[in-house]
Amino acid sequence: PAYDIDSNSYPTREIGGYCWMLRNLKVTRYANGDSIESGSDPVKWMQNSEGMHKTYAGQSTYLNTYGRLYNFKAASDQRGICPTGWRIPTSGEWNTFTTRLEGPVQAGGILKSTQFWSQPNTAAVDGGGYRALPGGYADDRGVDMALTHQGYWWSTTESNQWNASAFNLRYNSGAAFVVDMPKKSGLNIRCIKE
């Protein structure tokens, strides 16, 4: 397994040509030990002056299942949010990954866990144990949405000064999407081995 600086452990596996952590990140510190600001206060979240993390609806039960939500500043911080030797994929790598998994039309179903998603959880087979979960997201005001309906994971690729690319899976589709999300959003993170 891989271990983050908070000693959380993550099982790992080679899937689609990348070595993945098979759980969403839940670390509260950067790789150098500096704390990532808590984003539980919506006013702070909207100001978006630094990297922040939050737990969906502030519920520890969600934390254990879905990991934390991070804004793009935390995801892209130079201090690194993934364990040493691991990193967040680029949007190109997310696209390559889905292409290797029978293409974007099927990849979502292959990756989605058969648990936790709302019905119909279209085409979900949890191929290779990737166990993609519907952790929802926090919008630019820090409002949590779409738990059990959608999962979003950051890439490191900026689209413009406001948005960055993210990987997205949906309860009612077997497809995988790479979409633009506001950098102030809170999304999950999956790390790949460098």
Side-chain angles (χ1 to χ4, degrees):
Y3 293 90
D4 66 30
I5 194 160
D6 293 337
S7 300
N8 297 305
S9 92
Y10 305 88
T12 64
R13 185 172 296 164
E14 183 92 16
I15 302 171
Y18 299 100
C19 185
W20 289 93
M21 288 172 30
L22 301 179
R23 299 283 179 277
N24 294 337
L25 205 60
K26 56 183 183 185
V27 72
T28 59
R29 294 186 292 160
Y30 295 109
N32 72 348
D34 292 349
S35 285
I36 303 167
E37 179 91 19
S38 167
S40 53
D41 174 355
V43 175
K44 271 193 168 167
W45 189 271
M46 282 192 285
Q47 289 166 343
N48 196 47
S49 56
E50 51 197 300
M52 284 186 267
H53 70 83
K54 69 192 303 276
T55 303
Y56 195 99
Q59 301 287 321
S60 58
T61 50
Y62 292 150
L63 170 64
N64 293 330
T65 302
Y66 300 108
R68 293 183 197 277
L69 300 170
Y70 300 90
N71 66 3
F72 188 73
K73 280 195 168 150
S76 60
D77 193 286
Q78 293 304 302
R79 289 168 284 187
I81 197 168
C82 291
T84 305
W86 295 78
R87 63 182 176 79
I88 298 171
T90 64
S91 64
E93 285 168 329
W94 279 118
N95 281 318
T96 300
F97 180 52
T98 59
T99 300
R100 289 174 181 166
L101 297 177
E102 300 177 34
V105 175
Q106 266 99 24
I110 293 170
L111 296 172
K112 283 191 298 181
S113 169
T114 53
Q115 294 178 293
F116 301 107
W117 289 84
S118 291
Q119 293 306 316
N121 197 10
T122 307
V125 296
D126 196 12
Y130 188 85
R131 199 167 170 261
L133 294 173
Y137 67 100
D139 73 6
D140 55 6
R141 296 159 305 157
V143 177
D144 298 326
M145 305 188 183
L147 189 77
T148 76
H149 283 83
Q150 297 203 54
Y152 287 91
W153 295 267
W154 283 121
S155 81
T156 53
T157 306
E158 295 183 63
S159 310
N160 53 46
Q161 76 184 85
W162 302 282
N163 300 312
S165 290
F167 186 67
N168 170 231
L169 301 176
R170 304 170 187 175
Y171 78 104
N172 57 356
S173 173
F177 306 88
V178 175
V179 297
D180 272 3
M181 289 295 281
K183 290 179 185 175
K184 289 185 178 186
S185 307
L187 309 186
N188 288 131
I189 288 176
R190 282 285 184 112
C191 307
I192 56 173
K193 206 171 177 66
E194 286 182 345

